Amino acid sequence: AQSVTQLDSQVPVFEEAPVELRCNYSSSVSVYLFWYVQYPNQGLQLLLKYLSGSTLVKGINGFEAEFNKSQTSFHLRKPSVHISDTAEYFCAVSDTGRRALTFGSGTRLQVQP
Amino acid sequence: SAVISQKPSRDICQRGTSLTIQCQVDSQVTMMFWYRQQPGQSLTLIATANQGSEATYESGFVIDKFPISRPNLTFSTLTVSNMSPEDSSIYLCSGRGTATGETQYFGPGTRLLVL
């Protein structure tokens, strides 16, 4: 079984500042890693994913994440945030055997002007 | 990618009644899942919908309360039975398979309020 920890429940940041949303996972087997974004009153949208290969993954809207196997982390970063990035961000993990995603508790990114 | 639709998008129901949520995927997916997102919370897996056989339920969820059907590779239903106010949540359908590049895509969710 896998588990995901998102240490920060809320991250306030000023517009145009950089941001990092932290995600750590636990698993005894190889995993796939994902970040999803949920805007208010909307469904989940995939930001980026790590399946294999390069540990630095680039996604939509200028976000990127780095898979660190030794630290079992998959932190999400953006060099300059916009007001429109205000949303809930979920880190998720699944094993490579086609089981369902396990989600972290979510991080609320609040971008202030 | 995959486009997933759900019906209804939202509903208000009386306690003791049942609601069936439909999920349609625009491409064949190997796996389909149902999640619950309680207000202000993360997503919790209810069950994996298996084509042509009984769904596989996670701990804390039972078939009598959440019967699931999956008659083919692109369609599934979730019924929330004998509802109580504690069932008020967003219910999300999800699909994954080789057609989606092993990425799990989500429907827009069904917002359920039980009075």
Side-chain angles (χ1 to χ4, degrees), chain B residues 40-92:
Chain B
Q41 302 296 316
S42 185
L43 283 78
T44 300
L45 180 66
I46 297 172
T48 301
N50 300 310
Q51 184 198 359
S53 64
E54 190 172 290
T56 304
Y57 290 85
E58 298 298 304
S59 176
F61 298 96
V62 295
I63 188 172
D64 290 345
K65 176 67 175 177
F66 297 102
I68 289 170
S69 76
R70 188 181 174 190
N72 57 53
L73 287 175
T74 63
F75 185 79
S76 178
T77 66
L78 167 74
T79 299
V80 186
S81 302
N82 189 24
M83 288 184 285
S84 67
E86 292 71 34
D87 295 320
S88 297
S89 290
I90 301 172
Y91 293 86
L92 296 106

Side-chain angles (χ1 to χ4, degrees), chain A:
Chain A
Q2 297 84 39
S3 66
V4 180
T5 301
Q6 292 182 247
L7 292 170
D8 306 303
S9 59
Q10 293 188 58
V11 173
V13 62
F14 288 107
E15 194 173 17
E16 298 184 5
V19 70
E20 179 180 82
L21 306 184
R22 296 181 292 169
C23 172
N24 287 89
Y25 70 93
S26 173
S27 177
S28 58
V29 298
S30 296
V31 296
Y32 297 146
L33 293 156
F34 304 81
W35 276 99
Y36 288 84
V37 60
Q38 186 176 37
Y39 298 102
N41 298 314
Q42 294 188 27
L44 271 72
Q45 180 180 2
L46 179 69
L47 269 179
L48 49 78
K49 62 184 177 183
Y50 172 79
L51 302 181
S52 66
S54 173
T55 58
L56 182 62
V57 180
K58 294 188 183 298
I60 62 171
N61 301 339
F63 283 94
E64 64 180 32
E66 186 158 18
F67 170 54
N68 188 319
K69 188 174 182 179
S70 62
Q71 297 186 8
T72 61
S73 68
F74 191 55
H75 300 332
L76 181 70
R77 302 185 183 96
K78 186 170 183 178
S80 175
V81 295
H82 303 288
I83 294 289
S84 59
D85 292 323
T86 295
E88 191 83 20
Y89 291 79
F90 292 98
C91 182
V93 63
S94 75
D95 62 29
T96 58
R98 296 190 170 185
R99 278 189 54 80
L101 289 172
T102 299
F103 283 84
S105 55
T107 298
R108 173 80 176 158
L109 177 63
Q110 298 169 305
V111 182
Q112 304 165 5

